[in-house]
Amino acid sequence: MLEIKNLHVKLEEEDKAILRGVDLTVEAGKVHAIMGPNGSGKSTLSYVLSGRDGYEVTEGSATLDGEELLDMEPEERAAIGLFLAFQYPVEIPGVGNMTFLRTAVNAQRKARGEEEVSAGDFLKLIREKAKALKIDADMLKRPVNVGFSGGEKKRNEILQMAMLEPKMCILDETDSGLDVDAMKLVADGVNALRDEGRAFLVITHYQRLLNHIRPDVVHIMSEGRIVQTGGPELALEVEENGYGNILEGAA
Amino acid sequence: MAADPKQQATEERLAALTLPEGGGWLGAARKDALGRLEAVRLPGRRDEYWRYTNPAPLVQAAPALDVPDQVEDPFEGVDALVVTIDGDNIEIPGELPAGLEIGTLADAARADIHWAKELYGHREAAGSRPVSRPLAMLNSAFATNGLVIRATGKVAMPIHVRTGGGTDPILHHLVKVETGASVTVLESGIAGARSNIVTEIDVADDGTFHHIRVDGPTRARHGNTHLFARLGAESTFKSFTLSAHGELTRNEAVVELTGDDAVSHIAGAAFGQGDFHHDDTVFVIHDAENCESRQVYKKVLRDGAVGVFQGKILVKEGAQKTDGYQISQSLLLDDDSVFLAKPELEIYADDVACSHGSTTGAIDETALFYLRSRGVPERAATDLLVLSFLAEALEEIEDETLRANISGRLADWLSRD
């Protein structure tokens, strides 16, 4: 589904390479995790894939079902099924959560040449999905992420994911700032979306989120490259021994 | 020696105008205003108060624009008493809600004794101290008609003043809210290709006046308005203006809080692009104790548009426990647009809480990326962030239904460009 080949990325404003040849293939139906120490390039990878400004791709490619992502605008990537759950979801005062989501859902449908979803159908759908994430009517009416707790913001990200039904979901440090209960709620939301036609790339610094979202494949990233790939046991090794041993082994 | 350009401009304008007929109290008020105008003359480019806005299109003898655009009704669907002004022709519904009297200025002028006499030109003259407002003086002298509105009780339904027709109308409205009474006035329409509208408002003790004005979304208009208000004890004055486009707008408001515990909130949301110059000039005078005043102004500027805010809070000696707040902000959507702000506080009382601030910023790139990453195209995402920016000013509209109505209108107008 997602195929990244020899991806090299530097900051636009300065001559600093951040990704130095990332190769990664995520198959449909699978959950891949990327772990790594701070500054290893994990978040940059998520931003480059979703199209944030400020980065320059100097080499390589990234395709989603064969379509080159790196040439597309962020909204075009979203419309073909890419989704990034933000580490720090953005507050947008004055714009209702529901208005925002309906605008997004319909913009994507329009881009794909599909019919817009009616107000009534949308309301029914969002109520159902919000309930599973324990998001109440008040949170749906409030401005996007304004006054939300850390846990509420992350649940709101998962709600957006559930409504937009992407095929490739990237979760950037979704566990940061969450207590155990909130993490469980978020993980349940993600697990409910696991499906043969959908893949996940879970970026995390710690292993604990992976207790709740069980990955099929774990990658360790360091200095802009994937240095080791293994099964779920790799995450446990990080948990027990830190990154030191693995990185030494890889070097 | 070359003639003084202000003198010359004033003479040219006056030569093009005819003092409306009729003596009586209105005739006397007109002559008084004309005398005041001749003493100060029409504004020129070098006047400090017109430093950021070139008054020439508002001053010159003939309007530069001659065809008023048709404009849609922004309050469509709002249950209101509609009063239409078409040129000098005013239509007032026969049946009025309880506690409300509405007539025309022309009719009021025919009465020897009329409450309007005590208001017409008086608030305007008071509002010219210490800063003269010659275009309002011109209006008091030459206004061809206007509405005289009096609330004697709590008026259950808003009055919607819909102004159209004419190319260069000069209209002068009077609003008197009696003790304990309340009324809401909605204003819409394009008065003309060029317009000069003065509204004098007197809110007696414990009275409430709400005012919501929507100008837009036509472009070919040169508008100049003045609100002059006096607030009695425990009274409330709330005025909100939405401006969409328009080549030149200068909206002035002068509010004097003369009774203790009075509240004045004035707000404005404006957006425009290219040939758009929008000036809000506000003067709030605290002359009583324990009053609250608040001004919230937001402007969104694109493609070389210009926004101006001049706002002054004057707290007179003895106006203790004044609570004054003022914020003016602009969102510049490109490097060519300009926002000029001149916030001022002048305080002569020692126990007050006054604050003011002014900011200018660009679109938040992180927020823009967030919206686009959800599939919202760049232009629509920008529109959402514009709505987000203007929301704080719209929050000043107390009535939720009216706020939702205006918010919807704004979103619609934004998406059309």
Side-chain angles (χ1 to χ4, degrees):
Chain A
M1 176 169 285
L2 177 69
E3 197 148 1
I4 304 170
K5 282 186 185 155
N6 192 33
L7 185 61
H8 288 258
V9 170
K10 73 177 209 44
L11 287 180
E12 214 164 51
E13 308 252 306
E14 48 184 303
D15 231 9
K16 190 179 167 197
I18 304 195
L19 300 182
R20 307 155 186 249
V22 174
D23 285 289
L24 176 68
T25 302
V26 182
E27 310 82 7
K30 302 289 184 197
V31 174
H32 283 229
I34 295 187
M35 303 182 72
N38 289 329
S40 58
K42 306 185 300 285
S43 284
T44 297
L45 178 64
S46 73
Y47 287 144
V48 170
L49 290 174
S50 51
R52 187 172 187 156
D53 279 346
Y55 303 99
E56 190 186 322
V57 176
T58 52
E59 215 184 321
S61 73
T63 57
L64 184 62
D65 281 344
E67 290 191 75
E68 181 56 71
L69 286 172
L70 302 177
D71 299 336
M72 293 183 194
E73 298 294 338
E75 56 269 30
E76 295 171 323
R77 304 181 196 205
I80 66 161
L82 185 78
F83 181 91
L84 169 66
F86 279 49
Q87 180 177 4
Y88 303 109
V90 181
E91 296 185 7
I92 305 178
V95 176
N97 212 8
M98 202 120 77
T99 309
F100 159 58
L101 253 173
R102 202 167 145 226
T103 306
V105 167
N106 281 333
Q108 289 201 13
R109 294 180 76 103
K110 202 174 154 197
R112 291 193 294 261
E114 298 164 12
E115 221 173 287
E116 293 195 358
V117 56
S118 75
D121 289 348
F122 178 83
L123 200 64
K124 225 162 91 185
L125 197 65
I126 198 168
R127 277 194 185 139
E128 184 188 305
K129 307 222 177 210
K131 200 174 162 196
L133 286 157
K134 297 196 176 156
I135 290 174
D136 59 22
D138 181 53
M139 251 177 88
L140 290 177
K141 269 190 233 153
R142 265 152 55 188
V144 181
N145 292 323
V146 177
F148 287 24
S149 70
E152 286 173 334
K153 282 182 182 169
K154 297 297 170 81
R155 261 146 61 200
N156 203 29
E157 292 292 285
I158 306 305
L159 174 68
Q160 291 171 25
M161 194 162 89
M163 290 299 294
L164 294 167
E165 300 185 317
K167 53 189 177 194
M168 182 69 230
C169 309
I170 305 171
L171 277 63
D172 185 13
E173 308 257 0
T174 291
D175 50 338
S176 70
L178 295 188
D179 60 29
V180 180
D181 290 338
M183 186 154 58
K184 182 137 191 337
L185 205 54
V186 166
D188 288 347
V190 171
N191 288 330
L193 290 169
R194 288 178 78 154
D195 178 303
E196 278 178 15
R198 184 171 287 138
F200 290 85
L201 188 59
V202 180
I203 293 170
T204 181
H205 188 78
Y206 300 104
Q207 189 268 340
R208 55 175 199 165
L209 179 66
L210 304 179
N211 286 336
H212 303 284
I213 306 173
R214 303 287 300 167
D216 299 297
V217 183
V218 175
H219 309 273
I220 307 294
M221 195 163 181
S222 170
E223 293 180 6
R225 272 190 216 104
I226 287 173
V227 294
Q228 197 167 350
T229 296
E233 71 285 351
L234 195 54
L236 291 170
E237 196 183 324
V238 169
E239 177 75 3
E240 274 176 36
N241 305 321
Y243 288 106
N245 288 346
I246 295 168
L247 297 184
E248 269 170 37
Chain B
M1 202 180 96
D4 169 22
K6 282 180 56 160
Q7 180 69 33
Q8 199 180 333
T10 306
E11 281 171 11
E12 280 174 18
R13 182 73 187 271
L14 294 182
L17 289 163
T18 317
L19 211 56
E21 284 176 22
W25 63 265
L26 185 57
R30 290 184 190 282
K31 286 200 185 84
D32 178 70
L34 184 59
R36 286 184 283 119
L37 172 62
E38 283 171 336
V40 297
R41 290 164 299 185
L42 287 167
R45 195 68 225 254
R46 302 174 84 167
D47 290 350
E48 178 64 23
Y49 217 49
W50 290 85
R51 200 170 155 179
Y52 305 122
T53 297
N54 180 6
L58 303 172
V59 166
Q60 67 197 43
L65 303 165
D66 56 9
V67 184
D69 293 328
Q70 289 303 311
V71 64
E72 64 201 75
D73 180 358
F75 295 110
E76 204 188 318
V78 172
D79 197 16
L81 180 85
V82 180
V83 175
T84 53
I85 303 178
D86 184 9
D88 290 335
N89 185 32
I90 297 181
E91 278 185 42
I92 300 165
E95 258 182 65
L96 299 178
L100 178 68
E101 296 166 14
I102 308 184
T104 65
L105 181 62
D107 288 338
R110 281 182 215 111
D112 290 336
I113 298 169
H114 197 288
W115 60 264
K117 181 187 171 186
E118 306 304 319
L119 191 51
Y120 191 98
H122 291 276
R123 269 293 102 207
E124 175 260 295
S128 270
R129 293 186 295 267
V131 191
S132 67
R133 300 175 199 275
L135 284 163
M137 296 170 186
L138 177 97
N139 181 299
S140 292
F142 294 97
T144 50
N145 211 343
L147 293 171
V148 292
I149 299 172
R150 179 168 172 244
T152 55
K154 298 199 185 302
V155 181
M157 185 187 273
I159 304 162
H160 177 186
V161 180
R162 183 131 181 85
T163 310
T167 53
D168 193 16
I170 302 178
L171 297 168
H172 196 119
H173 305 309
L174 302 172
V175 179
K176 190 163 173 59
V177 181
E178 301 289 3
T179 304
S182 68
V183 66
T184 296
V185 172
L186 314 175
E187 262 192 280
S188 77
I190 183 143
R194 176 170 77 175
S195 58
N196 179 332
I197 301 178
V198 165
T199 308
E200 294 180 278
I201 303 145
D202 188 87
V203 188
D205 295 354
D206 197 29
T208 299
F209 178 69
H210 284 193
H211 174 234
I212 297 171
R213 177 166 57 185
V214 178
D215 288 332
T218 52
R219 287 161 205 255
R221 61 175 201 265
H222 292 164
N224 172 219
T225 72
H226 288 83
L227 295 176
F228 295 100
R230 182 203 72 91
L231 307 189
E234 291 179 44
S235 69
T236 301
F237 171 88
K238 289 190 179 179
S239 175
F240 170 87
T241 302
L242 170 67
S243 304
H245 306 302
E247 282 178 24
L248 173 63
T249 304
R250 164 94 162 198
N251 288 335
E252 297 190 25
V254 185
V255 179
E256 196 171 351
L257 299 98
T258 63
D260 294 347
D261 303 297
V263 173
S264 161
H265 290 190
I266 324 173
F271 77 91
Q273 60 195 75
D275 204 358
F276 174 82
H277 184 108
H278 192 280
D279 176 337
D280 280 300
T281 290
V282 185
F283 204 110
V284 178
I285 303 140
H286 282 267
D287 197 11
E289 283 189 22
N290 205 32
C291 291
E292 176 195 317
S293 75
R294 186 177 159 84
Q295 298 104 57
V296 178
Y297 283 92
K298 301 247 189 178
K299 295 184 203 285
V300 179
L301 307 164
R302 197 199 300 259
D303 296 340
V306 180
V308 175
F309 174 77
Q310 302 189 101
K312 181 160 180 171
I313 305 175
L314 170 65
V315 181
K316 290 195 172 176
E317 207 181 325
Q320 301 294 13
K321 306 282 181 197
T322 289
D323 178 1
Y325 172 77
Q326 179 189 92
I327 183 85
S328 63
Q329 295 183 305
S330 75
L331 176 64
L332 304 183
L333 297 180
D334 49 65
D335 294 340
D336 301 326
S337 300
V338 180
F339 179 57
L340 303 157
K342 190 181 175 191
E344 289 177 278
L345 279 176
E346 198 174 319
I347 302 173
Y348 297 99
D350 57 10
D351 182 16
V352 302
C354 285
S355 64
H356 65 178
S358 185
T359 66
T360 293
I363 282 277
D364 177 349
E365 290 297 331
T366 306
L368 187 66
F369 172 62
Y370 186 63
L371 295 173
R372 294 179 72 190
S373 78
R374 298 310 183 237
V376 184
E378 186 172 8
R379 178 57 202 242
T382 305
D383 286 352
L384 275 179
L385 294 177
V386 165
L387 285 174
S388 165
F389 171 78
L390 293 176
E392 193 191 342
L394 263 66
E395 285 294 315
E396 297 291 311
I397 303 171
E398 202 171 278
D399 186 292
E400 272 184 45
T401 313
L402 283 170
R403 193 196 310 143
N405 178 282
I406 286 173
S407 180
R409 200 67 54 181
L410 181 58
D412 177 33
W413 288 345
L414 273 174
S415 69
R416 272 193 227 170
D417 297 311

